[in-house]
Amino acid sequence: MCMSKMSGSDSIPQRADMQASGGRQKMRHGWSRFVVALRPFLFIALLIVAWDIAVRRQPAHLLPTPWETVGGILDLVRHNLLLKYVVASLFRVTWGFSLAAILAIPLGLAIGWYRRAEMALNPILQILRPISPLAWIPIAILWFGVGDLSAVFLIFVGSFLPLLLTSINAARSVPDVYVNAGRNFGLGPMQLIARIFYPAVMPQLIVGLRITLGVAWLVVVAAEMIAVDSGLGFLIVDARNAGNRYDLVVAGMVIIGLIGFLLDVGMRSLEKVKSFRWSYSED
Amino acid sequence: MVTKEVEAAPGLKTKLSVDNVSMTYKRDGKLTHVLENVNLEVSDGEFVCLLGPSGCGKTTLLNTMAGFLTPTSGTIQVNGEAVRGPDPRRIFVFQERGVFPWLTVEGNIGFGLSKLTKPEREQRIAHYVKMVGLQGFEKSYPAELSGGMKQRLEVARALAVNPDMLFLDEPFGALDSITRLVMRSELLRIWQAERKTIIFVTHDIDEAVQLADRVVVMSARPGTIQQIVPIDIAHPRDISSQHYLELRDGIFKQIGLAHQV
């Protein structure tokens, strides 16, 4: 009680108070926090057990058991295919996604900055947006044949529009007050971009990049099912065609999920950079 | 009481002069007269409040003085030179939303100091951190600060580049009434220490009479200067003195408000 009375003054922000009391609780509840952290893993273990029991009680064998799936992953490792396929998929995503980012972000920021350009382009962007990147598969094969280039192109197509729209929005939502303050301190056009515009759009861009990377990872699997002969998407189709190896199909799905998760974790760690984080920490 | 005083206080150098400034917007094909024939002279080191109801054009007038807007007609001069745009010698303080949320307290105060050497910059930052009482928060981001602290931070960022003039646009409007009172005396303390010319926009009569050397009372649509009231009370001001109350009530009447709720 005494503490809270003392901290009633304006000069002590509430957040600092909250952090201080949070620190005390951390000491007291170290063990229970550990249990809370363990909870998601316990839940996954429970699901795996349920999966095992359900498959065993079902004579038609509609799914491989968890152990067969692990066996499938080990099989892939033994034949040196796991690393090769993962690298192949990541390679395509890296190229398609990076090319899209390099082109879409500057273009989108410029469009967002000039409001008239945004008004002129908006209808066509809204028409292109609902077209699934997968609808481009026939055209990709027509233009680039079956191979890496087609897959990279599809990922590019799938990433370009979301990144462009995010960038347009990010540029549009930079408050005038920051730009005016920058001009008031005598910044020229290049300095305004580097010191005001860039930091102001960064938080929104990072969110857009993270969501789009997830989309790119979805697209690569689909593209590999049709347009190439390596990668995790190819693994899934190939395992089914070549002898109904459903253990490998599910193994491929598990690996796709895990890598997608790791990509997301990587992008999220960018959000934690303090000078980028300002927009998330407000409210 | 209804005297139109446009000359600056005698014996002092004229800092800012606004001559026949009018401002017209075209909105939905209709002309709106925001400012009409505004004349004002402000002397060096003077504290002037622009007072008026919302929509009377006082913020527009402030923006033209700061160079963010160009008047439709008339001229604005600072030190005898026409204002052509924003200038680091004249800093505009927005409400606390003007601080850069991606920079720390230090980063914000040092924002306009990139031309200084590193030791000079650090010394300047430390000086203003202390002046506005943000010691211990140098590495904090604005999101971790209270509204009053953000406001002080923005004032510090403005003062750090050593401007001749400060333009403040309802800087304390978003603060609670206690913090607002504290901020007023802080601003007066800083003004007395640094003697900048200050143009302060407010719609709060008490605030204007507590702070200003002269209160410029504006009327709305089109915005014109109705009256300029010199506040001849020395700081610190006794806000229950007879003279203070007389001046305040005079402005209340001028704006057309009965001093009764």
Side-chain angles (χ1 to χ4, degrees):
Chain A
M1 280 306 279
C2 207
M3 280 291 287
S4 69
K5 259 182 205 160
M6 279 166 61
S7 63
S9 112
D10 153 66
S11 59
I12 296 168
Q14 284 184 320
R15 210 170 285 256
D17 288 349
M18 277 156 51
Q19 276 168 359
S21 63
R24 248 173 275 128
Q25 280 185 343
K26 201 189 284 176
M27 303 255 286
R28 208 181 302 155
H29 301 296
W31 174 249
S32 67
R33 282 174 67 96
F34 176 70
V35 172
V36 169
L38 216 61
R39 230 179 255 166
F41 297 100
L42 288 174
F43 189 62
I44 291 172
L46 206 71
L47 274 184
I48 291 174
V49 171
W51 170 9
D52 194 54
I53 292 170
V55 173
R56 279 174 203 285
R57 288 174 61 93
Q58 172 46 260
H61 207 71
L62 291 173
L63 261 187
T65 64
W67 310 118
E68 285 165 348
T69 306
V70 172
I73 294 175
L74 291 176
D75 239 14
L76 289 173
V77 174
R78 224 173 291 132
H79 290 90
N80 290 327
L81 282 175
L82 181 67
L83 194 63
K84 189 182 152 210
Y85 283 172
V86 168
V87 169
S89 294
L90 283 176
F91 169 82
R92 293 172 189 129
V93 167
T94 307
W95 274 104
F97 182 72
S98 307
L99 278 175
I102 289 166
L103 288 174
I105 291 175
L107 187 65
L109 292 178
I111 292 171
W113 185 248
Y114 296 103
R115 234 149 262 194
R116 288 211 187 103
E118 195 263 330
M119 271 150 64
L121 281 167
N122 200 43
I124 183 70
L125 293 179
Q126 296 306 332
I127 291 169
L128 287 173
R129 199 161 68 132
I131 302 174
S132 161
L134 304 183
W136 288 84
I137 287 177
I139 291 170
I141 292 173
L142 177 69
W143 287 357
F144 301 106
V146 172
D148 275 340
L149 217 50
S150 273
V152 169
F153 172 75
L154 287 168
I155 293 155
F156 175 84
V157 169
S159 311
F160 185 82
L161 268 184
L163 285 176
L164 189 73
L165 290 166
T166 306
S167 311
I168 291 174
N169 268 328
R172 258 192 352 186
S173 55
V174 174
D176 286 344
V177 59
Y178 298 148
V179 179
N180 281 341
R183 284 172 63 208
N184 201 173
F185 283 100
L187 301 190
M190 292 314 285
Q191 284 175 309
L192 272 179
I193 290 174
R195 297 185 64 194
I196 304 283
F197 202 56
Y198 161 76
V201 296
M202 217 45 202
Q204 250 186 294
L205 278 191
I206 288 174
V207 173
L209 283 169
R210 181 165 71 78
I211 292 168
T212 308
L213 187 60
V215 172
W217 190 242
L218 288 176
V219 172
V220 75
V221 171
E224 285 170 346
M225 288 183 169
I226 296 151
V228 288
D229 55 5
S230 66
L232 295 169
F234 170 75
L235 164 70
I236 287 175
V237 177
D238 188 51
R240 188 205 163 272
N241 291 343
N244 287 342
R245 286 287 303 274
Y246 282 98
D247 57 334
L248 293 181
V249 171
V250 178
M253 290 165 69
V254 168
I255 290 163
I256 288 164
L258 282 175
I259 291 176
F261 169 72
L262 289 177
L263 288 175
D264 201 58
V265 168
M267 291 303 282
R268 269 178 200 276
S269 69
L270 264 184
E271 289 178 7
K272 294 211 174 71
V273 176
K274 263 252 177 172
S275 57
F276 292 160
R277 207 180 57 179
W278 55 270
S279 80
Y280 315 106
S281 53
E282 267 176 296
D283 299 319
Chain B
M1 203 65 194
V2 193
T3 51
K4 257 206 169 174
E5 185 178 331
V6 282
E7 277 82 42
L12 287 169
K13 208 177 102 214
T14 299
K15 181 76 188 168
L16 169 87
S17 63
V18 177
D19 296 306
N20 296 316
V21 162
S22 297
M23 188 83 181
T24 317
Y25 284 131
K26 202 170 183 182
R27 202 172 290 152
D28 305 326
K30 215 175 68 184
L31 286 176
T32 316
H33 298 279
V34 186
L35 293 173
E36 201 162 86
N37 209 23
V38 172
N39 288 285
L40 180 68
E41 291 207 350
V42 177
S43 49
D44 204 7
E46 199 181 9
F47 196 135
V48 169
C49 277
L50 303 180
L51 175 73
S54 41
C56 74
K58 55 193 191 296
T59 295
T60 307
L61 180 58
L62 195 70
N63 273 293
T64 56
M65 289 173 179
F68 288 118
L69 295 173
T70 313
T72 316
S73 66
T75 55
I76 293 172
Q77 293 185 319
V78 173
N79 295 332
E81 244 176 84
V83 171
R84 292 190 201 289
D87 191 303
R89 288 171 297 179
R90 308 184 285 273
I91 299 292
F92 197 105
V93 177
F94 308 88
Q95 297 188 0
E96 80 263 24
R97 61 211 157 79
V99 297
F100 300 127
W102 55 85
L103 294 176
T104 59
V105 165
E106 282 182 333
N108 266 288
I109 297 179
F111 186 84
L113 303 178
S114 43
K115 287 198 182 90
L116 299 185
T117 64
K118 204 170 174 234
E120 276 179 317
R121 187 166 59 234
E122 277 169 2
Q123 197 202 342
R124 190 84 71 91
I125 291 170
H127 176 76
Y128 284 100
V129 163
K130 197 162 161 239
M131 171 173 275
V132 298
L134 286 173
Q135 299 105 311
F137 292 94
E138 288 90 345
K139 310 276 184 223
S140 302
Y141 283 85
E144 301 160 49
L145 305 177
S146 67
M149 292 164 90
K150 275 188 262 190
Q151 188 59 68
R152 276 181 278 160
L153 173 60
E154 200 180 336
V155 171
R157 184 182 71 187
L159 290 172
V161 296
N162 195 22
D164 318 333
M165 293 189 77
L166 284 181
F167 298 105
L168 297 111
D169 184 12
E170 298 189 22
F172 310 143
L175 304 178
D176 65 86
S177 57
I178 294 168
T179 311
R180 210 181 302 157
L181 279 175
V182 174
M183 292 298 297
R184 276 178 209 161
S185 47
E186 300 244 323
L187 181 65
L188 281 175
R189 182 175 59 77
I190 290 167
W191 174 65
Q192 280 163 339
E194 305 236 332
R195 283 292 160 184
K196 313 285 187 200
T197 309
I198 294 183
I199 316 286
F200 188 108
V201 161
T202 182
H203 55 241
D204 184 329
I205 296 173
D206 278 296
E207 186 164 71
V209 180
Q210 285 165 25
L211 293 173
D213 291 329
R214 286 188 299 155
V215 176
V216 175
V217 183
M218 294 181 68
S219 65
R221 283 184 207 94
T224 50
I225 294 181
Q226 213 175 351
Q227 191 197 8
I228 298 179
V229 183
I231 310 293
D232 49 353
I233 313 175
H235 292 286
R237 288 178 180 164
D238 177 1
I239 59 171
S240 54
S241 73
Q242 193 57 40
H243 192 41
Y244 173 88
L245 294 173
E246 272 170 27
L247 286 167
R248 194 189 65 171
D249 293 350
I251 295 174
F252 262 111
K253 283 206 195 85
Q254 183 68 42
I255 289 184
L257 290 172
H259 185 46
Q260 265 166 353
V261 177

